[in-house]
Amino acid sequence: MDEQALRDQLALLGASLFQRGYSVGTAGNISVRLPDGYLMTPTNSCLGRLDPARISKLAPDWSHVGGDRPSKEVFMHRAMLTARPDAGAVVHLHSTHATAIGCLAEPGETAPIPPLTPYFVMRVGRALPVIRYYRPGDAAMEADIHDAAKGAKAVLLANHGPVVSGRTLEDAVHAAEELEEAARLALLLRGAGARSLTPAQVDDLLATFG
Ligand code: 13P
């Protein structure tokens, strides 16, 4: 996909996430890797109303070279995209149920959502490290996220929300949606003695769908 098509897709998928309640107000931000840098949603922009032409562009050294001022969460996205060279995009949301789990889980936990369903395992994987609370935009979160993301497609920021990578922008959005659904299920079933997938079933999913 060329840059224009990615800008259009980013606006389309941002609107889709917003319309379905995965993001409210100006919460959330999205980045996409380009051959010559990165696209990033502008700071204080609403994912529901992104103008493709005003999406921020960053150079390979992450300096701002075009469009509106980028998200304050550049450090968060840089942490993920540098830790995971195969990732083409990162989606950060404050989606309600995943954020609720981020308020319940202890920083340092690596699996705050049980493997209840196959698609959570297939899209997000086995690990979802919980990163300790940082103020939004705090550059100090970068090292923690970078370390955790080497072994995980997604991390959960305590009291803040999920940060999810994907091979493509669509993959990252799908994984963020699955994470939110898994979090919702986990909360619905909390204390009900729900059956999780077994370690062998999880291994089988990862071996089959990688
Ligand atoms: P930005 O508006 O700077 O992207 O920040 C929104 C957000 O989600 C902070 O975590």
Side-chain angles (χ1 to χ4, degrees):
M1 261 196 203
D2 66 14
E3 182 176 326
Q4 187 55 51
L6 284 167
R7 285 176 179 270
D8 292 343
Q9 190 188 42
L10 210 164
L12 204 75
L13 292 173
S16 169
L17 287 168
F18 182 80
Q19 281 155 12
R20 290 176 295 136
Y22 287 88
S23 140
V24 298
T26 62
N29 30 69
I30 303 177
S31 62
V32 180
R33 195 194 297 273
L34 298 173
D36 64 343
Y38 306 90
L39 292 176
M40 181 153 304
T41 49
T43 190
N44 295 325
S45 59
C46 170
L47 292 190
R49 294 185 288 276
L50 292 169
D51 176 349
R54 293 177 60 178
I55 289 171
S56 317
K57 183 158 181 185
L58 308 183
D61 68 358
W62 295 86
S63 58
H64 180 206
V65 291
D68 289 350
R69 192 152 64 89
S71 171
K72 69 173 87 60
E73 303 290 20
V74 167
F75 307 106
M76 171 201 292
H77 290 258
R78 183 166 75 178
M80 264 282 173
L81 287 168
T82 55
R84 303 190 68 78
D86 292 345
V90 172
V91 173
H92 165 57
L93 298 172
H94 302 169
S95 53
T96 308
H97 300 86
T99 303
I101 299 274
C103 298
L104 291 165
E106 285 301 322
E109 271 188 59
T110 56
I113 300 176
L116 292 164
T117 63
Y119 267 69
F120 174 58
V121 175
M122 287 155 58
R123 299 287 182 246
V124 178
R126 211 189 301 265
L128 180 66
V130 181
I131 307 293
R132 79 160 173 85
Y133 175 78
Y134 289 95
R135 172 174 40 78
D138 187 346
M141 74 176 81
E142 182 165 3
D144 265 5
I145 296 176
H146 185 269
D147 284 353
K150 285 185 197 158
K153 284 185 195 167
V155 302
L156 187 57
L157 307 181
N159 300 75
H160 186 169
V163 186
V164 185
S165 69
R167 199 178 50 79
T168 64
L169 175 56
E170 250 189 337
D171 287 347
V173 168
H174 291 163
E177 291 177 2
E178 288 296 342
L179 199 163
E180 174 60 13
E181 289 310 301
R184 193 150 77 102
L185 273 179
L187 290 171
L188 272 174
L189 295 169
R190 220 166 160 237
R195 179 179 54 254
S196 288
L197 299 178
T198 65
Q201 288 167 334
V202 169
D203 288 345
D204 173 56
L205 286 166
L206 294 175
T208 308
F209 301 104

